[in-house]
Amino acid sequence: MKQNQWESTTFVGPRGGIVISMASWCKYCAWEAKWQEPALFQWGRAHHVAVTLLDISPRGGIGIAGPKTNPGDGTDGSGNYLGSSPKGIKALSHLLDQYSTIYHVPLQDLTIDPTDSTIFAKKTDLLPTIFLLNAHGTIIHTFTGINSASLIESGFAHASS
């Protein structure tokens, strides 16, 4: 995985895209990865909507998801600042390999932006932030914080119609 992998990432499918701006160390992002995103990835594939997790924080560690009934009961992962150097990018890439395995997120749907180069990183004030995109890649709606997959799906259907 390269530092600017996002530059070659296609964030949209034929009907649009969903970008989840997250951090692998974030317990709320881990909660969504465990409890919400499997359904969201399945929905995206069925509806030709690309779903991408975009890690915007080059800090080490993997968050531990809390129980389905309490996202705040998880634990933030701890680790050193990995940075955006080639060595840091390699370490973050390895971390995302582990994240993919733990949370069963397809590795091809994970990308990194540790330099805040994407519009998604620039517009993220709270982790996670979910961006809904039309088929042209324009942001049509934004959700912040924890949201259910069904809310995101219905939000996409409403915003894109």
Side-chain angles (χ1 to χ4, degrees), residues 62-138:
I62 295 177
I64 299 170
K68 191 171 189 175
T69 56
N70 187 359
D73 206 24
T75 306
D76 283 338
S78 61
N80 296 328
Y81 176 77
L82 300 173
S84 57
S85 69
K87 184 177 178 183
I89 297 304
K90 186 174 181 179
L92 186 54
S93 178
H94 178 68
L95 196 70
L96 289 184
D97 286 342
Q98 294 173 327
Y99 192 89
S100 172
T101 301
I102 292 168
Y103 290 112
H104 309 289
V105 174
L107 192 56
Q108 69 269 17
D109 296 324
L110 283 164
T111 191
I112 57 175
D113 178 15
T115 59
D116 295 342
S117 299
T118 61
I119 189 68
F120 313 112
K122 292 174 181 164
K123 290 185 173 270
T124 298
D125 292 324
L126 179 67
L127 292 170
T129 297
I130 299 159
F131 299 93
L132 308 182
L133 313 174
N134 66 18
H136 302 289
T138 303

Side-chain angles (χ1 to χ4, degrees), residues 1 5-6 9 11 18-24 29-30 32-34 37-38 40-41 50-56 96 99-100 103-113 128-130:
M1 193 172 292
Q5 178 183 335
W6 64 268
T9 298
F11 291 108
I18 298 171
V19 175
I20 303 165
S21 180
M22 51 77 77
S24 52
C29 301
E32 283 208 341
K34 182 171 184 175
E37 289 161 10
L40 193 57
F41 277 102
V51 179
T52 306
L53 297 184
L54 179 66
D55 195 336
I56 64 167
L96 289 184
Y99 192 89
S100 172
Y103 290 112
H104 309 289
V105 174
L107 192 56
Q108 69 269 17
D109 296 324
L110 283 164
T111 191
I112 57 175
D113 178 15
T129 297
I130 299 159

